[in-house]
């Protein structure tokens, strides 16, 4: 038996921030952001919305899409936790009326959806759960210094969710194989230095007085990350296609993590996948980390471009460093537009 995708949903906070909006407070321009990243606008949380509330909205839509009111487990992938402790998944489960089922978070930055999907599928494969609600949810813009032009334009907030159920490997929607990997030697290329135990231990008793303000926010070395992202995603995607015995010509849609339009295109080029089979929505949402892949799947399914029977390659790369890929044949699931 294996995990089969049976429902999908997405949610974006209502506040849209365009490149021109950013240019009013940052030394940047719509032209620079569009040509370097492909992003035109992104959504940002406001008025009390945060990772948990975005997850509840997306989760409710995925449950509706699957036509179920209960699941055996809830998993949330996020790198913008609601609080340092506890995990947000139990609260999301409770707010969705799912009772006292197993619930926990997975942290793997932009590859969080692939890592979380493999974990959720593993709960089903191992017989621990028959159904799982898995949500990628991020309010990551709250962790980005909005006065730093090298990071502020890139990220956006949102949530995407899927429902998985126990099924047969030959069914449409069956997930896998998976390819997952990491390189912790390069962890510092993308990190938020303060807030965790490393800084708190070093800072013991000083009341954070010694922590530079910038350390509470994301630090990113864009150039080396760009190279790593292209290389790692392309290699991981090629490995998973090999394991699945899918020639690249069989792939109808490459649904890659939306970190940067140039990165997604470069990965497709490495894989020799034509541009018309590359799914893209970064222009409207930016980089939404663990929410990126499910929001893109939801967009394409709701818009009718992704149809039952299409062969889909999923791949993501992010901080850690970490990366992951999987494949599935798109099932006959209902998808609503995010707004
Ligand atoms: N507006 C105008 N100019 C800018 C801006 C901006 N917003 N940001 C940087 N610049 C300038 C730089 O200062 C630099 O100027 P200089 O040449 O005078 O020094 C110039 O533009 C070029 O900067 P680069 O950083 O070299 O630009 P690059 O083409 O590499 O694009 C980017 C930067 C978009 C960040 C790119 O490197 C990238 O996408 N990297 C990968 C990001 C990624 O994949 N992260 C991992 C996933 S995220 C996660 O896991 C949370």
């Amino acid at each position: 038996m294996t995990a089969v995708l049976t429902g999908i949903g997405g949610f974006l906070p209502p506040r849209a921030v365009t490149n021109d909006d950013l240019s009013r407070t940052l030394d940047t321009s719509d032209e620079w952001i569009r040509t370097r990243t492909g992003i035109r606008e992104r959504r940002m949380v406001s008025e009390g919305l945060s990772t948990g509330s975005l997850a509840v909205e997306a989760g409710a839509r995925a449950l509706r899409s699957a036509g179920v009111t209960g699941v055996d487990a809830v998993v949330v992938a996020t790198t913008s936790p609601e609080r340092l402790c506890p995990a947000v998944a139990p609260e999301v489960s409770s707010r969705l009326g799912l009772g006292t089922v197993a619930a926990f978070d997975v942290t793997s930055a932009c590859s969080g959806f692939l890592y979380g999907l493999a974990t959720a599928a593993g709960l089903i494969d191992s017989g621990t759960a028959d159904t799982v609600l898995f949500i990628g949810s991020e309010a990551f813009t709250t962790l980005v210094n909005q006065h730093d032009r090298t990071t502020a334009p890139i990220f956006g907030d949102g949530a995407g969710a899927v429902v998985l159920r126990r099924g047969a490997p030959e069914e449409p929607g069956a997930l896998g194989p998976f390819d997952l990997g990491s390189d912790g030697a390069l962890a510092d290329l993308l990190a938020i230095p303060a807030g965790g135990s490393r800084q708190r231990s070093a800072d013991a008793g000083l009341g954070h007085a010694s922590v530079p303000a910038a350390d509470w926010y994301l630090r990113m070395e864009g150039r080396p990350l760009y190279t790593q992202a292209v290389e790692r995603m392309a290699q991981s995607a090629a490995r998973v296609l090999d394991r699945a015995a899918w020639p690249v010509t069989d792939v109808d849609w490459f649904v890659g993590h939306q970190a940067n339009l140039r990165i997604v295109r470069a990965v497709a080029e490495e894989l020799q996948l034509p541009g018309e089979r590359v799914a893209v929505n970064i222009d409207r949402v930016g980089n939404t980390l663990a929410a990126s892949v499910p929001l893109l799947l939801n967009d394409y399914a709701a818009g009718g471009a992704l149809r039952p029977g299409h062969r889909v390659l999923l791949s993501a790369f992010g901080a850690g460093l970490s990366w992951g890929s999987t494949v599935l044949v798109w099932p006959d699931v209902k998808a609503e537009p995010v707004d």
Side-chain angles (χ1 to χ4, degrees):
M1 298 306 275
T2 196
V4 171
L5 191 151
T6 179
I8 188 152
F11 182 74
L12 293 170
R15 183 163 73 108
V17 178
T18 65
N19 294 344
D20 285 335
D21 292 336
L22 287 181
S23 308
R24 284 187 204 109
T25 51
L26 279 178
D27 181 15
T28 189
S29 65
D30 173 55
E31 205 266 336
W32 192 97
I33 300 170
R34 259 190 305 105
T35 53
R36 298 286 178 131
T37 70
I39 301 167
R40 291 172 187 273
E41 65 173 42
R42 73 286 295 142
R43 300 295 183 88
M44 291 192 190
V45 289
S46 58
E47 293 170 8
L49 282 177
S50 56
T51 298
S53 40
L54 301 181
V56 167
E57 295 289 347
R61 290 174 185 203
L63 291 168
R64 193 155 64 227
S65 159
V68 298
T69 52
V71 289
D72 299 325
V74 177
V75 181
V76 176
T78 186
T79 300
S80 36
E82 187 88 346
R83 296 178 280 188
L84 269 184
C85 175
V88 74
E91 196 181 330
V92 170
S93 171
S94 171
R95 285 172 63 186
L96 284 169
L98 297 171
T100 55
V101 298
F104 61 95
D105 291 1
V106 170
T107 303
S108 195
C110 297
S111 60
F113 189 75
L114 269 297
Y115 268 80
L117 199 60
T119 306
L123 290 174
I124 290 176
D125 289 343
S126 65
T128 307
D130 284 337
T131 51
V132 182
L133 172 62
F134 169 50
I135 309 167
S137 184
E138 305 281 4
F140 197 76
T141 62
T142 59
L143 301 174
V144 173
N145 178 354
Q146 294 301 324
H147 301 289
D148 174 5
R149 72 173 185 171
T150 67
T151 52
I154 295 169
F155 297 94
D157 301 325
V162 294
V163 175
L164 307 180
R165 66 159 170 81
R166 181 176 293 264
E170 57 280 1
E171 275 187 71
L175 294 168
F178 282 89
D179 175 78
L180 301 172
S182 74
D183 183 359
L186 297 178
D188 289 345
L189 289 184
L190 200 151
I192 300 169
S197 63
R198 186 185 296 189
Q199 172 259 316
R200 283 167 185 251
S201 165
D203 188 49
L206 297 175
H208 305 311
S210 64
V211 181
D215 281 8
W216 298 100
Y217 295 101
L218 180 75
R219 274 199 202 150
M220 184 173 88
E221 291 188 40
R223 278 276 167 96
L225 273 172
Y226 186 101
T227 313
Q228 286 285 325
V230 174
E231 210 175 290
R232 296 304 192 177
M233 264 204 278
Q235 289 167 351
S236 175
R239 271 194 300 273
V240 100
L241 288 177
D242 193 44
R243 275 182 216 157
W246 285 18
V248 75
T249 45
D250 275 12
V251 174
D252 293 301
W253 286 112
F254 171 50
V255 177
H257 168 57
Q258 305 285 288
N260 182 321
L261 182 59
R262 291 186 294 145
I263 291 177
V264 181
R265 285 191 175 147
V267 173
E269 210 166 290
E270 290 278 318
L271 293 169
Q272 298 186 315
L273 261 167
E276 64 271 17
R277 289 196 235 147
V278 179
V280 170
N281 69 352
I282 193 171
D283 51 319
R284 285 171 291 121
V285 297
N287 178 347
T288 58
L289 292 91
S292 171
V293 166
L295 278 170
L296 184 53
L297 285 172
N298 190 79
D299 267 5
Y300 271 60
L306 173 57
R307 292 192 296 277
H310 276 167
R311 287 172 165 248
V312 186
L313 167 64
L314 309 181
S315 190
F317 166 89
L321 303 180
S322 59
W323 53 87
S325 304
T326 194
V327 293
L328 78 159
V329 174
W330 194 247
D332 191 7
V333 287
K334 293 186 197 108
E336 307 168 29
V338 284
D339 49 22

